[in-house]
Amino acid sequence: MNGPAARPVVAMLSGIRAAIIDLDGTMLDTAPDFLVAINRMREEFSLAPLALERIKLFVGKGSENLIRRVLAVDFDAPQVEQHFDLALASYQRHYHAINGDHSSIYPGVREGLRALQQKGLRLACVTNKPIAFARPLLEKTGLRPYFELVYGGDCLPQKKPHPLPLLQVCRDFVLQPQQVVAIGDSSNDAQAARAAGCKVLNVPYGYNHGQAIQEVDSDGIVDTLLDAAALISEDCCAS
């Protein structure tokens, strides 16, 4: 009898001094914002609206990838590139107008961030969302004060799943990668963390490109950020 894949047993993490936390699908359910902005853009192109569940499959690899995949629903590759610049500009205009209006904070996020801080961890938010959208969204939801650093997908030459953003945080915090844990909802986070040499935990909700989170190579799956904080041993600031 086939059933859902079993969750890996999650061990306590020791020697952790900082956490790098994803935004979309990890701290905030932003898919309803994507739905509104994308479908307003599509209306300008006389295209039919897309359903929320379909849009969720396209989220996570940055705005450029998102818009190319949205256009590819209706156009072939040359046509996608033909329409790309206007579509991206339209999407960004609409997203800016409603950024955060339809988003919600996942359960356990505020409590988890507080618990991580209480353990003495330094916190960074690394997202593939453009920084012009990420910072206002964190401010609007009241999450910005938890983070020393915020990197958007356009802040550095590479974005997740490339390890560069995570390695940059390690350099900024003057920490070794093995002293840092990445927490996210998708293979992007896990691949970036593995390549950087960081530990990684995944949450089971969010947007993982239609892939089961159990199929992602990580150090474990946690129900909430609060559960993630509970897995970090109290020796995190000992050295």
Side-chain angles (χ1 to χ4, degrees):
M1 177 178 176
N2 293 326
R7 290 192 183 186
V9 176
V10 187
M12 291 290 291
L13 302 180
S14 61
I16 300 298
R17 303 288 299 279
I20 299 173
I21 305 174
D22 180 51
L23 181 56
D24 297 305
T26 299
M27 290 191 287
L28 298 175
D29 181 8
T30 50
D33 280 346
F34 290 118
L35 176 73
V36 172
I38 286 169
N39 283 333
R40 286 181 181 176
M41 177 272 285
R42 288 178 61 83
E43 185 177 7
E44 291 184 5
F45 282 77
S46 299
L47 300 174
L50 297 180
L52 179 62
E53 292 307 313
R54 191 168 195 182
I55 288 172
K56 285 181 180 180
L57 300 177
F58 302 158
V59 173
K61 294 185 182 294
S63 295
E64 294 84 358
N65 180 76
L66 171 65
I67 296 308
R68 283 192 169 93
R69 294 199 64 183
V70 166
L71 290 174
V73 172
D74 303 274
F75 300 119
D76 61 22
Q79 290 174 317
V80 167
E81 294 310 312
Q82 176 187 341
H83 295 300
F84 174 75
D85 288 341
L86 285 177
L88 179 63
S90 171
Y91 163 74
Q92 290 178 331
R93 183 175 71 255
H94 290 303
Y95 198 98
H96 178 75
I98 56 92
N99 186 13
D101 287 354
H102 308 279
S103 295
S104 58
I105 301 176
Y106 286 112
V109 168
R110 293 188 193 278
E111 298 88 343
L113 294 174
R114 283 196 294 267
L116 289 166
Q117 282 191 329
Q118 288 166 0
K119 289 192 171 185
L121 271 72
R122 303 175 72 178
L123 301 182
C125 175
V126 173
T127 173
N128 283 347
K129 183 187 284 304
I131 194 65
F133 297 150
R135 280 201 184 113
L137 184 57
L138 287 168
E139 294 284 358
K140 188 170 189 173
T141 54
L143 299 180
R144 179 64 183 89
Y146 290 102
F147 296 98
E148 289 186 52
L149 295 174
V150 179
Y151 281 122
D154 52 355
C155 289
L156 297 164
Q158 301 286 345
K159 58 173 68 76
K160 298 180 294 184
H162 197 280
L164 176 62
L166 278 63
L167 291 171
Q168 183 62 52
V169 172
C170 294
R171 286 191 288 268
D172 292 337
F173 284 166
V174 195
L175 294 172
Q176 296 300 310
Q178 60 267 27
Q179 296 176 294
V180 179
V181 61
I183 306 172
D185 66 311
S186 79
S187 57
N188 280 346
D189 306 290
Q191 290 169 19
R194 285 287 186 250
C198 300
K199 295 292 187 180
V200 57
L201 298 172
N202 282 132
V203 294
Y205 50 84
Y207 326 124
N208 189 35
H209 327 297
Q211 179 187 10
I213 200 66
Q214 290 85 359
E215 298 173 9
V216 174
D217 175 27
S218 76
D219 293 299
I221 299 171
V222 290
D223 285 333
T224 68
L225 288 192
L226 185 58
D227 293 317
L231 286 174
I232 297 171
S233 62
E234 295 289 349
D235 69 350
C236 63
C237 297
S239 60

